[in-house]
Amino acid sequence: MPEGDKTTGCEGAPRHVAIIMDGNGRWAQSRGRPRLFGHHAGAKRVREIVETCPDLGVKYLTVFAFSTENWKRTQTEVAGLMSLFRRYITKEARALRDEGVRVRFIGDRVRLDAKLIALMDELELLTQENTRVHLTIALNYGSRDEVARAIKRMAQDVARGDLSAEDVDESTLTRYLDTRVLPDPDLVVRTSGEARISNFLLWQSAYAEYEFIDTLWPDFTADIFEGLVRDYARRDRRFGAVKA
Ligand code: IPE
Ligand code: IPE
Ligand code: MG
């Protein structure tokens, strides 16, 4: 696992924060604007939050940008989101690189268009030496889909004789997931007032702490983020054990 630069940070900060960035549509609709207006406003929030991470001591930030279920939306919204992702990567690439951000994508790429996949590959390559903060963008990501894809590859390896079924345990599955190089999330935040997980990092968040907040994603600020990180630092995680 990459270690990298030292961060100052808040004592007891979560090493990995994962965010379900929800509420863009409602944010736009409350202003009488189309849903895509909210998605654009939401995308702008990401960089400020990533840049806050090193000061707080958060080394990994994972954001849910598009789920395997989001294809059910109108063709206009899906196409608008795909175009936003292409534009976002093109526009932000240099700043992310210069800020020391290592970007990775998780999710199934097969349904994405070739131009977008090429931009994702380029950004991963461009930032691969960075270690200050690790930003993972979940795009066409669904936890069940990820587990199913992992098991498929695992079964293929067993069939080829590269893996013994006898040796399969929790750590084996972890190594086949898209998140294989990431530590488990310590804190999962969902904005917009919904208290559900919507198929995000189910396996990885088995022992995460959760925060469901009412703020809509385009209104999310560095101050709100810092407050959540400080609240986390006060929590008592027991992982099933009893404290001595
Ligand atoms: C989250 O905002 C972004 C995506 C799912 C792509 P929504 O688009 O879900 O916004 P609401 O929940 O409808 O307000
Ligand atoms: C979850 O939000 C997915 C993302 C934030 C990308 P949704 O808005 O798609 O989730 P549901 O439909 O409210 O469960
Ligand atoms: Mg939503």
Side-chain angles (χ1 to χ4, degrees):
M1 212 158 284
E3 262 317 309
D5 318 10
K6 284 231 162 14
T7 41
T8 41
C10 118
E11 173 90 18
R15 184 165 177 236
H16 183 178
V17 180
I19 306 182
I20 302 170
M21 308 185 291
D22 197 18
N24 295 347
R26 278 164 282 172
W27 186 89
Q29 276 161 345
S30 72
R31 286 163 175 76
R33 305 294 300 267
R35 295 178 58 83
L36 270 166
F37 180 70
H39 294 315
H40 281 266
K44 287 193 193 128
R45 304 310 311 149
V46 176
R47 183 137 60 89
E48 183 189 345
I49 305 308
V50 187
E51 286 174 6
T52 313
C53 286
D55 285 343
L56 292 175
V58 174
K59 200 74 198 167
Y60 294 84
L61 179 73
T62 298
V63 294
F64 204 2
F66 190 89
S67 79
T68 46
E69 287 71 38
N70 287 148
W71 299 101
K72 294 177 197 160
R73 297 186 178 196
T74 63
Q75 207 265 332
T76 310
E77 183 167 353
V78 170
L81 279 163
M82 294 301 147
S83 144
L84 167 65
F85 298 144
R86 287 193 299 269
R87 249 211 278 171
Y88 179 85
I89 295 174
T90 311
K91 231 177 106 227
E92 297 285 312
R94 194 185 290 259
L96 289 165
R97 183 198 57 192
D98 295 348
E99 288 291 329
V101 183
R102 177 161 186 179
V103 184
R104 295 183 179 88
F105 291 90
I106 55 171
D108 192 0
R109 295 187 184 195
V110 293
R111 267 186 92 171
L112 304 176
D113 74 66
K115 176 86 200 299
L116 177 58
I117 296 171
L119 288 166
M120 290 158 68
D121 285 339
E122 265 172 48
L123 183 57
E124 285 187 334
L125 204 64
L126 182 74
T127 61
Q128 68 177 351
E129 306 291 339
N130 284 344
T131 54
R132 194 159 169 252
V133 52
H134 297 261
L135 171 66
T136 302
I137 302 173
L139 215 167
N140 192 26
Y141 176 86
S143 215
R144 289 181 169 183
D145 174 71
E146 177 194 33
V147 170
R149 284 186 289 105
I151 290 172
K152 186 174 182 174
R153 285 199 307 278
M154 212 190 281
Q156 287 164 341
D157 283 353
V158 170
R160 267 200 299 267
D162 293 342
L163 176 73
S164 151
E166 284 305 309
D167 294 340
V168 173
D169 60 12
E170 290 184 15
S171 71
T172 321
L173 180 54
T174 298
R175 285 200 304 277
Y176 279 82
L177 295 174
D178 297 350
T179 51
R180 61 185 77 81
V181 299
L182 307 175
D184 284 343
D186 301 296
L187 173 65
V188 178
V189 175
R190 183 175 187 140
T191 58
S192 91
E194 311 295 352
R196 57 177 172 260
I197 306 306
S198 302
N199 204 8
F200 189 47
L201 301 174
L202 300 176
W203 171 272
Q204 298 87 339
S205 301
Y207 262 104
E209 300 290 321
Y210 285 92
E211 286 279 4
F212 299 98
I213 63 166
D214 288 337
T215 311
L216 302 173
W217 175 251
D219 291 328
F220 194 82
T221 60
D223 282 348
I224 298 173
F225 186 59
E226 181 172 346
L228 293 168
V229 166
R230 293 196 186 282
D231 286 349
Y232 169 91
R234 285 191 286 271
R235 288 190 184 202
D236 179 19
R237 296 178 80 188
R238 291 187 283 273
F239 299 98
V242 176
K243 263 209 171 151

